[in-house]
Amino acid sequence: MDLPNKQSTPVIFNHSAAIDDFVATALLLTMPNIELQGIVVTNADCLADPAMKVSWMVHRFFEIEHIPLTLSNARGWNSFPYLYRKDCIAMGKINLLKPFADNPIQPPYPSGEEMVIQLLEKAIQDNRPVTVLATGPITTITNVVKANPALAAGINKIVWMGGAIDVWGNLDKTTIPAEIANDYAEWNAFWDPAATASMFETFSNVNVFPLDITNAAKIPPFMTGLEKQLQYKYSEFVYQAYGLVSEEPFYCMWNTCATAYLAEMTDIFQAPEQIPVLVEELGFNQGSLKRGTHNQEKSQNLFMKFSSTENFYNYVLKQLQR
C-alpha cells in the first residue's frame, strides 16, 4: 500500500460489506493521494457478524490492521433482501482469505458512530476536513451530524453511490413484495429515504454516482482484462471476489465506480450536472430521486456518464497491478 503524502485527502469509508465494497477497498488502498482514516460498516447489504469477520479478514490480507474497523449502530427503514445480504458470507470463503479466518474480530465491535465523531472532531481541530466515501446507505453519517450539527464542518465532501435519476431503480420484485417494489428507487436510498433526504438538505458538496452511470460499469469486460494480471495480489483478490457474482447480469461495479472518483482523474467521468436532488421519503415511491429547482434547494454534483468506460477499466486494472 502506498503511504499517504502530505497533500493527501483524509477519507472515512462507510460501506455495507457487499462484495463490491471489498473491491472498492482494494482500489482505495492503491491511491497515494488518499489517507484512509477509518472504516465503518453499516449493517445494510450484509449480516453484521459475518460482515465484521470478513472485513477483518480483508484488513489482515491487506495488512491494514492499524486502520480502525468499526460497526455502525444505524437501523434502516427498508431491509435489504437476505439473498443479497448473505454475499458477505460467501466473500469470507474465497481462497485468498481462508488463511486469515483465525482470531476473528469479536463483539462488542468498536462503535462506528464514536469513530466518526472522533475523526470529525480531529478534522475540525486540525482544519483538515475529511471526505466521506459512502457506498451504502448514508444513515451513519447523517445520524452523527444530526445529533451534533457542528460536526458537519469536519466534512469537506461526500462521495455517495446511490439513487437513480433517468434510469429504472433496482428493487427486484422477485426478492421483495411487489406491493413495495417501486420502479424508481435504488437500494442505498431505499434503505433509509429520510437519511438520504437529510444528506442533500444538510451538505452542499455531495457527489452522487447513481445507477445512471454505474449501470455502464459492467463486470464481464473488466474480468477479461483482470484475467491477464492474476500474478498480482490485488488483482487475484478482486478476481476471486467478483468471481462470486460475475455471472449475475444485474451486478455492476457500483462502488468501485464511485471510489475511482477519488483518484481525481480527468479522463474517466464527464462533468457532473450541478442540480438540486429531491428524495421521495414516504409512500409507494419512497427512495426515488428527482431533480429539484435551483431556487429552492442546494445543488449537488450528479455524475451521470463516463467520459470513457475503457479509461475507467484501464485505470482500475493498472491500480490493481500490485
Side-chain angles (χ1 to χ4, degrees):
M1 182 179 64
D2 293 326
L3 294 175
N5 57 51
K6 292 182 180 179
Q7 290 76 40
S8 60
T9 300
V11 169
I12 297 173
F13 188 16
N14 183 192
H15 67 69
S16 56
I19 288 169
D20 195 32
D21 286 316
F22 296 115
V23 175
T25 301
L27 179 60
L28 195 62
L29 295 175
T30 70
M31 297 178 176
N33 64 309
I34 295 301
E35 178 188 341
L36 181 56
Q37 294 189 338
I39 293 177
V40 51
V41 176
T42 300
N43 185 25
D45 191 11
C46 64
L47 300 161
D49 289 307
M52 292 303 290
K53 179 179 179 180
V54 69
S55 295
W56 183 241
M57 292 164 70
V58 170
H59 264 54
R60 295 180 66 195
F61 176 79
F62 285 117
E63 301 179 3
I64 57 170
E65 295 99 322
H66 61 285
I67 296 176
L69 173 64
T70 64
L71 179 66
S72 171
N73 191 46
R75 301 294 189 267
W77 185 256
N78 297 301
S79 297
F80 275 81
Y82 278 102
L83 179 66
Y84 302 166
R85 298 175 70 184
K86 68 179 184 178
D87 279 352
C88 63
I89 299 175
M91 181 67 192
K93 296 179 180 179
I94 67 171
N95 288 333
L96 281 182
L97 292 183
K98 287 180 179 178
F100 305 96
D102 61 313
N103 300 318
I105 188 172
Q106 298 284 349
Y109 306 108
S111 166
E113 285 74 15
E114 289 182 9
M115 183 196 72
V116 171
I117 291 169
Q118 292 171 3
L119 290 177
L120 294 185
E121 288 176 342
K122 187 175 188 303
I124 294 170
Q125 178 182 344
D126 296 345
N127 193 26
R128 191 171 178 243
V130 305
T131 291
V132 171
L133 173 63
T135 55
I138 196 65
T139 310
T140 303
I141 306 302
T142 55
N143 281 353
V144 166
V145 173
K146 183 177 181 180
N148 189 347
L151 291 177
I155 298 176
N156 177 42
K157 69 173 67 172
I158 293 176
V159 179
W160 180 63
M161 186 278 129
I165 305 297
D166 297 327
V167 299
W168 297 115
N170 60 2
L171 305 186
D172 186 347
K173 295 179 178 63
T174 67
T175 59
I176 60 174
E179 288 80 6
I180 64 169
N182 72 69
D183 291 328
Y184 307 105
E186 176 276 334
W187 264 107
N188 287 341
F190 186 66
W191 193 77
D192 191 347
T196 307
S198 178
M199 172 179 65
F200 292 124
E201 293 164 0
T202 303
F203 300 100
S204 298
N205 193 358
V206 181
N207 301 271
V208 183
F209 288 79
L211 296 180
D212 302 69
I213 185 170
T214 61
N215 282 349
K218 303 295 185 183
I219 291 179
F222 176 74
M223 292 287 275
T224 299
L226 200 58
E227 288 176 346
K228 301 174 183 178
Q229 56 185 58
L230 296 183
Q231 69 272 28
Y232 297 104
K233 173 180 177 177
Y234 280 60
S235 295
E236 177 66 17
F237 173 84
V238 171
Y239 188 79
Q240 290 189 20
Y242 273 157
L244 298 171
V245 293
S246 60
E247 295 185 3
E248 297 180 9
F250 76 92
Y251 209 102
C252 295
M253 299 171 68
W254 305 290
N255 307 328
T256 303
C257 170
T259 302
Y261 167 78
L262 296 178
E264 300 177 351
M265 305 289 286
T266 59
D267 61 348
I268 295 179
F269 305 107
Q270 290 188 13
E273 293 186 33
Q274 296 182 329
I275 58 175
V277 180
L278 301 179
V279 182
E280 194 80 29
E281 295 187 48
L282 295 170
F284 180 69
N285 287 327
Q286 62 187 272
S288 62
L289 273 56
K290 62 181 180 181
R291 293 174 173 86
T293 57
H294 284 280
N295 62 344
Q296 294 179 342
E297 298 87 19
K298 297 178 180 178
S299 292
Q300 312 294 348
N301 298 317
L302 229 60
F303 288 83
M304 303 290 283
K305 294 181 180 179
F306 287 102
S307 293
S308 167
T309 53
E310 183 178 0
N311 288 349
F312 165 67
Y313 291 139
N314 288 341
Y315 167 71
V316 179
L317 288 170
K318 183 178 179 181
Q319 290 300 108
L320 296 178
Q321 292 175 4
R322 61 191 69 208

